[in-house]
Structures are given as C-alpha cells and as structure tokens.
Amino acid sequence: MDSHGQNEQRVVWAVVDSDIGPLLLAATGEGLVSVGFHATDAVRDKALDRLASRFGTEPVEAPESPLLAEAIRQVAAYFAGERKDFELPLDWSLISGFNRQVLRELASGVPYGSVVGYGDLARRVGQPRAAQAVGMAMGANPLPVVVPCHRVVESDGGIGGFGGGLETKRKLLALEGVLPEPLF
C-alpha cells in the first residue's frame, strides 16, 4: 500500500514489432492490461501517461519481465501463424459493465478464423437491441488483437469500424483466413 492507503500496482510495458506495425503491450500483476496500435513515440507516451494516471504509478519498460515475456511470445506466434488462441491472464480493470461483458463474450465465444455481427454479439449478452453499444464496446477495447474486436463485423457483410484503422482490421482478418490477402 502507498501512503494514501491505495494498492499500488506495478505496470510494465514493451513495444513489439508486428505485421500491423509496432504494438504497445502493458501488463500488471493481474495480467495483460493494454495493447496499443501504431505505437510511435507520441502514441506510446500518451498511452503510458493514461496508464500512469489510472494505476497511480509510472509504467516501467521491461520487455524481459515475466509479466510481459509470455505475452510477447504469444503475440509473435500469432503473427507468425503459429498460434490461434491467446492463453494469457488478462487484467480487465480498464473496462467495466456492459463493455466488459461484451468483450469477455467476444474473447471466449468467437474463435480464430470466424466473425460475428454487432447485433449477434449483442444478443449473446442478452441485449438484442444493443448493436450500437457493442460497437462502442469494441472501440473501448483495451486489449485489441488478444480480445479480438477485429472479428466483429456488420451484419450486411461490411467490415465495420476499427480503432486500429480499417487496413489493420483487414490485415488481421486476412491473417485469420477470413478475408483474402490484399493484392497490393
């Protein structure tokens, strides 16, 4: 506990290269807490500031940390086509309520190589009229790729939106065999 009676949580981070650009991975003692796209210096610094504010401690760069090492290995294996499921402890503390419920259903119920519609996912969590709210939950996902919001698409066959950009979503869906690889 710190001097204010708060439980201080250690946050470690690393930037890893991937087929969709640099990813910022951050973890706490509970598990992987954040995955950030396009982790340029400016994006990384902004994300680390948010994590510091949320957890009350300065995140520490520690790619060799046991808290991150397995996540880094599994992300690399995913992009190499050697892993279809992530088996990592996750820290869900950055998300709550309906959004957490939807993301947990997505993580456990929409396997590699498949997609689900926003409305279908809303029905799965008992909120059949909440397709738009599901879209908001996808946008608030602190663990993209690992909690596969790229697998949520429009019911009419459209790709839908994506916080990492539509090209990133297309690449992830192509990696999983849902979409053909782009010609150029």
Side-chain angles (χ1 to χ4, degrees):
M1 295 228 186
D2 68 13
S3 61
H4 303 287
Q6 302 275 328
N7 283 325
E8 193 169 293
Q9 175 104 260
R10 181 168 187 234
V11 179
V12 294
W13 65 273
V15 172
V16 297
D17 289 324
S18 78
D19 292 353
I20 57 171
L23 297 173
L24 171 68
L25 304 181
T28 67
E30 297 294 314
L32 191 66
V33 72
S34 180
V35 176
F37 293 116
H38 315 299
T40 61
D41 290 349
V43 169
R44 179 202 66 213
D45 291 348
K46 188 174 179 181
L48 293 174
D49 286 346
R50 281 194 310 270
L51 289 168
S53 174
R54 170 62 177 83
F55 289 103
T57 185
E58 198 64 36
V60 175
E61 184 174 15
E64 72 294 337
S65 164
L67 299 174
L68 278 178
E70 183 60 22
I72 291 169
R73 276 193 293 280
Q74 288 189 29
V75 166
Y78 170 81
F79 283 105
E82 299 164 358
R83 173 172 281 281
K84 295 183 181 203
D85 299 305
F86 290 96
E87 297 171 11
L88 297 168
L90 301 178
D91 178 339
W92 294 94
S93 66
L94 295 179
I95 197 135
S96 62
F98 177 79
N99 290 359
R100 184 186 292 190
Q101 181 183 11
V102 168
L103 291 171
R104 282 183 178 264
E105 173 59 30
L106 174 64
S108 65
V110 183
Y112 183 97
S114 65
V115 295
V116 65
Y118 293 95
D120 293 333
L121 194 51
R123 280 188 284 286
R124 288 184 185 193
V125 297
Q127 300 289 328
R129 293 194 168 105
Q132 195 169 12
V134 166
M136 298 298 285
M138 296 306 104
N141 181 3
L143 295 160
V145 181
V146 175
V147 176
C149 52
H150 59 277
R151 296 180 190 155
V152 183
V153 297
E154 295 173 349
S155 59
D156 65 3
I159 195 169
F162 194 62
L166 292 182
E167 186 57 31
T168 298
K169 186 171 187 173
R170 284 186 190 95
K171 285 180 179 180
L172 290 168
L173 291 172
L175 173 70
E176 294 188 10
V178 176
L179 290 177
E181 287 287 342
L183 296 176
F184 45 85

